[in-house]
Amino acid sequence: MSTSTLIVVIAVAAVVVIVLVVALWMAARRRRLQNKFGPEYDRTVEVEGGRMAAERELRAREERHDKLEIKELPPERRDRYAVEWSTVQEHFVDRPEGSVEEADELVSRLMRERGYPTDDYRGQLRDLSVEHGRTLEHYRAAHDVKVRSAGHQTTTEELRGAMVHYRALFDDLLTEQRSR
Protein backbone atom coordinates (compact mmCIF):
# COMPACT_ATOMS: atom_id res chain seq x y z
CA MET A 1 0.00 0.00 0.00
CA SER A 2 1.43 3.37 -0.94
CA THR A 3 2.02 6.15 1.55
CA SER A 4 -0.57 8.42 -0.06
CA THR A 5 -3.23 5.67 0.08
CA LEU A 6 -2.40 5.04 3.73
CA ILE A 7 -2.73 8.76 4.50
CA VAL A 8 -6.13 8.89 2.76
CA VAL A 9 -7.37 5.82 4.70
CA ILE A 10 -6.19 7.29 8.00
CA ALA A 11 -7.76 10.68 7.19
CA VAL A 12 -11.09 9.08 6.28
CA ALA A 13 -10.99 6.94 9.43
CA ALA A 14 -10.25 10.03 11.55
CA VAL A 15 -13.17 11.92 10.00
CA VAL A 16 -15.50 8.96 10.63
CA VAL A 17 -14.34 8.74 14.26
CA ILE A 18 -14.84 12.49 14.77
CA VAL A 19 -18.32 12.35 13.23
CA LEU A 20 -19.25 9.39 15.45
CA VAL A 21 -17.95 11.11 18.60
CA VAL A 22 -19.88 14.29 17.79
CA ALA A 23 -23.05 12.31 17.00
CA LEU A 24 -22.79 10.35 20.26
CA TRP A 25 -22.14 13.53 22.25
CA MET A 26 -25.17 15.26 20.68
CA ALA A 27 -27.36 12.20 21.31
CA ALA A 28 -26.26 12.08 24.96
CA ARG A 29 -26.95 15.80 25.38
CA ARG A 30 -30.38 15.38 23.77
CA ARG A 31 -31.22 12.44 26.08
CA ARG A 32 -30.12 14.47 29.12
CA LEU A 33 -32.40 17.35 28.11
CA GLN A 34 -35.29 14.99 27.37
CA ASN A 35 -34.90 13.31 30.77
CA LYS A 36 -34.52 16.58 32.64
CA PHE A 37 -37.38 18.49 31.01
CA GLY A 38 -39.74 15.58 30.40
CA PRO A 39 -42.82 16.60 28.37
CA GLU A 40 -41.54 20.17 28.27
CA TYR A 41 -38.79 19.03 25.87
CA ASP A 42 -41.33 17.94 23.23
CA ARG A 43 -43.44 21.02 23.79
CA THR A 44 -40.41 23.27 23.28
CA VAL A 45 -39.43 21.39 20.10
CA GLU A 46 -42.91 22.08 18.75
CA VAL A 47 -42.93 25.75 19.79
CA GLU A 48 -39.38 26.46 18.59
CA GLY A 49 -39.85 24.59 15.32
CA GLY A 50 -37.09 22.02 15.69
CA ARG A 51 -34.74 20.17 17.99
CA MET A 52 -31.71 22.43 17.58
CA ALA A 53 -33.64 25.62 18.40
CA ALA A 54 -35.45 23.89 21.26
CA GLU A 55 -32.23 22.57 22.75
CA ARG A 56 -30.66 26.04 22.56
CA GLU A 57 -33.72 27.44 24.36
CA LEU A 58 -33.63 24.73 27.04
CA ARG A 59 -29.91 25.24 27.66
CA ALA A 60 -30.56 29.00 27.95
CA ARG A 61 -33.23 28.22 30.55
CA GLU A 62 -30.74 26.11 32.48
CA GLU A 63 -28.19 28.93 32.43
CA ARG A 64 -30.78 31.45 33.63
CA HIS A 65 -31.98 29.03 36.31
CA ASP A 66 -28.42 28.49 37.55
CA LYS A 67 -28.24 32.21 38.35
CA LEU A 68 -31.36 32.07 40.52
CA GLU A 69 -31.00 31.49 44.23
CA ILE A 70 -33.50 28.65 44.63
CA LYS A 71 -33.66 27.47 48.20
CA GLU A 72 -35.26 24.79 50.30
CA LEU A 73 -37.84 25.80 52.83
CA PRO A 74 -37.33 24.88 56.46
CA PRO A 75 -39.76 22.22 57.73
CA GLU A 76 -41.85 24.75 59.70
CA ARG A 77 -42.43 26.85 56.54
CA ARG A 78 -43.37 23.74 54.54
CA ASP A 79 -45.83 22.80 57.29
CA ARG A 80 -47.32 26.31 57.25
CA TYR A 81 -47.82 26.14 53.49
CA ALA A 82 -49.49 22.73 53.83
CA VAL A 83 -51.93 24.20 56.36
CA GLU A 84 -52.64 27.14 54.05
CA TRP A 85 -53.32 24.73 51.18
CA SER A 86 -55.84 22.85 53.32
CA THR A 87 -57.60 26.13 54.06
CA VAL A 88 -57.76 26.98 50.35
CA GLN A 89 -59.28 23.57 49.64
CA GLU A 90 -61.87 24.02 52.38
CA HIS A 91 -63.00 27.29 50.76
CA PHE A 92 -63.69 25.49 47.48
CA VAL A 93 -67.10 24.22 48.60
CA ASP A 94 -68.48 27.71 49.17
CA ARG A 95 -66.34 29.72 46.70
CA PRO A 96 -64.91 27.61 43.86
CA GLU A 97 -63.72 30.56 41.72
CA GLY A 98 -62.25 32.34 44.72
CA SER A 99 -60.45 29.17 45.78
CA VAL A 100 -58.80 28.83 42.38
CA GLU A 101 -57.60 32.43 42.69
CA GLU A 102 -56.34 31.70 46.23
CA ALA A 103 -54.55 28.56 45.00
CA ASP A 104 -52.81 30.58 42.28
CA GLU A 105 -51.74 33.21 44.80
CA LEU A 106 -50.47 30.55 47.22
CA VAL A 107 -48.45 28.80 44.51
CA SER A 108 -47.00 32.17 43.43
CA ARG A 109 -46.08 33.02 47.00
CA LEU A 110 -44.41 29.62 47.44
CA MET A 111 -42.45 30.13 44.21
CA ARG A 112 -41.34 33.58 45.33
CA GLU A 113 -40.23 32.32 48.75
CA ARG A 114 -38.28 29.50 47.11
CA GLY A 115 -36.47 32.10 44.95
CA TYR A 116 -38.33 31.94 41.64
CA PRO A 117 -39.15 35.28 39.99
CA THR A 118 -42.91 35.70 39.75
CA ASP A 119 -43.12 38.86 37.64
CA ASP A 120 -44.89 37.29 34.69
CA TYR A 121 -46.54 34.00 33.85
CA ARG A 122 -44.33 33.20 30.82
CA GLY A 123 -41.24 33.81 32.93
CA GLN A 124 -42.60 31.54 35.63
CA LEU A 125 -43.08 28.77 33.08
CA ARG A 126 -39.56 29.23 31.73
CA ASP A 127 -37.96 29.19 35.19
CA LEU A 128 -40.05 26.35 36.59
CA SER A 129 -39.41 24.17 33.53
CA VAL A 130 -35.82 23.45 34.55
CA GLU A 131 -36.69 21.55 37.74
CA HIS A 132 -40.44 21.07 37.42
CA GLY A 133 -40.91 20.18 33.76
CA ARG A 134 -42.99 17.14 34.62
CA THR A 135 -45.62 19.19 36.50
CA LEU A 136 -45.60 22.24 34.26
CA GLU A 137 -48.60 21.08 32.22
CA HIS A 138 -50.57 21.04 35.46
CA TYR A 139 -49.66 24.68 36.02
CA ARG A 140 -50.60 25.62 32.44
CA ALA A 141 -53.98 23.89 32.75
CA ALA A 142 -54.72 25.46 36.13
CA HIS A 143 -53.70 28.92 34.96
CA ASP A 144 -55.91 28.61 31.87
CA VAL A 145 -58.92 27.81 34.03
CA LYS A 146 -58.07 30.65 36.42
CA VAL A 147 -57.95 33.14 33.54
CA ARG A 148 -61.27 31.91 32.13
CA SER A 149 -62.89 31.90 35.57
CA ALA A 150 -62.29 35.65 35.88
CA GLY A 151 -64.89 36.02 33.13
CA HIS A 152 -67.13 33.37 34.73
CA GLN A 153 -66.57 31.06 31.75
CA THR A 154 -65.84 27.88 33.68
CA THR A 155 -67.80 25.05 35.20
CA THR A 156 -67.41 23.85 38.75
CA GLU A 157 -65.81 20.67 37.39
CA GLU A 158 -63.20 22.73 35.52
CA LEU A 159 -62.50 24.69 38.70
CA ARG A 160 -62.12 21.43 40.62
CA GLY A 161 -59.69 20.23 37.96
CA ALA A 162 -57.71 23.48 38.31
CA MET A 163 -57.38 22.83 42.04
CA VAL A 164 -56.03 19.34 41.31
CA HIS A 165 -53.55 20.83 38.82
CA TYR A 166 -52.42 23.54 41.24
CA ARG A 167 -52.00 20.86 43.88
CA ALA A 168 -49.60 18.88 41.65
CA LEU A 169 -47.26 21.85 41.21
CA PHE A 170 -47.72 22.93 44.82
CA ASP A 171 -46.68 19.48 46.08
CA ASP A 172 -43.72 19.40 43.70
CA LEU A 173 -42.51 22.82 44.87
CA LEU A 174 -43.12 22.06 48.52
CA THR A 175 -41.49 18.65 48.70
CA GLU A 176 -38.59 19.07 46.27
CA GLN A 177 -35.24 18.24 47.81
CA ARG A 178 -32.39 20.02 46.10
CA SER A 179 -29.04 18.30 45.80
CA ARG A 180 -26.88 21.44 45.77
Side-chain angles (χ1 to χ4, degrees):
M1 183 180 303
S2 71
T3 305
S4 59
T5 305
L6 185 59
I7 291 173
V8 169
V9 169
I10 291 172
V12 169
V15 168
V16 168
V17 168
I18 290 170
V19 168
L20 281 173
V21 167
V22 168
L24 290 171
W25 176 75
M26 289 178 69
R29 187 171 68 172
R30 177 169 291 145
R31 267 193 312 278
R32 184 190 69 77
L33 288 171
Q34 287 172 327
N35 289 336
K36 182 173 192 170
F37 285 90
E40 187 65 13
Y41 177 90
D42 294 327
R43 188 177 206 299
T44 306
V45 168
E46 186 177 315
V47 168
E48 294 293 325
R51 289 186 187 277
M52 296 290 274
E55 289 172 7
R56 264 192 311 277
E57 166 63 20
L58 295 173
R59 285 191 307 275
R61 291 181 192 185
E62 286 178 319
E63 288 173 14
R64 176 182 160 75
H65 186 273
D66 287 346
K67 294 175 184 170
L68 300 176
E69 294 184 30
I70 307 300
K71 58 187 175 281
E72 272 299 304
L73 296 178
E76 61 276 359
R77 290 299 299 148
R78 286 195 308 264
D79 292 345
R80 181 68 197 136
Y81 273 107
V83 168
E84 287 185 61
W85 180 262
S86 293
T87 301
V88 169
Q89 284 183 306
E90 289 170 9
H91 293 164
F92 185 82
V93 173
D94 295 326
R95 303 178 309 109
E97 287 179 345
S99 293
V100 168
E101 183 66 36
E102 284 180 63
D104 183 73
E105 290 170 9
L106 184 60
V107 166
S108 291
R109 206 165 22 130
L110 176 56
M111 284 189 279
R112 196 170 26 260
E113 188 169 343
R114 294 277 322 274
Y116 289 99
T118 57
D119 301 335
D120 69 297
Y121 173 68
R122 290 174 60 87
Q124 289 173 331
L125 291 174
R126 178 192 60 230
D127 294 334
L128 287 170
S129 71
V130 176
E131 291 186 4
H132 304 280
R134 299 198 187 288
T135 54
L136 211 50
E137 278 307 308
H138 288 287
Y139 188 42
R140 282 188 177 96
H143 182 76
D144 176 60
V145 171
K146 184 197 99 158
V147 168
R148 289 187 299 112
S149 76
H152 306 290
Q153 301 172 352
T154 53
T155 65
T156 303
E157 186 59 26
E158 289 173 313
L159 294 167
R160 187 197 67 73
M163 292 295 289
V164 170
H165 290 306
Y166 274 124
R167 178 64 186 249
L169 178 60
F170 178 82
D171 285 346
D172 199 26
L173 284 165
L174 197 61
T175 60
E176 176 196 5
Q177 296 298 313
R178 295 188 44 88
S179 58
R180 289 185 187 209

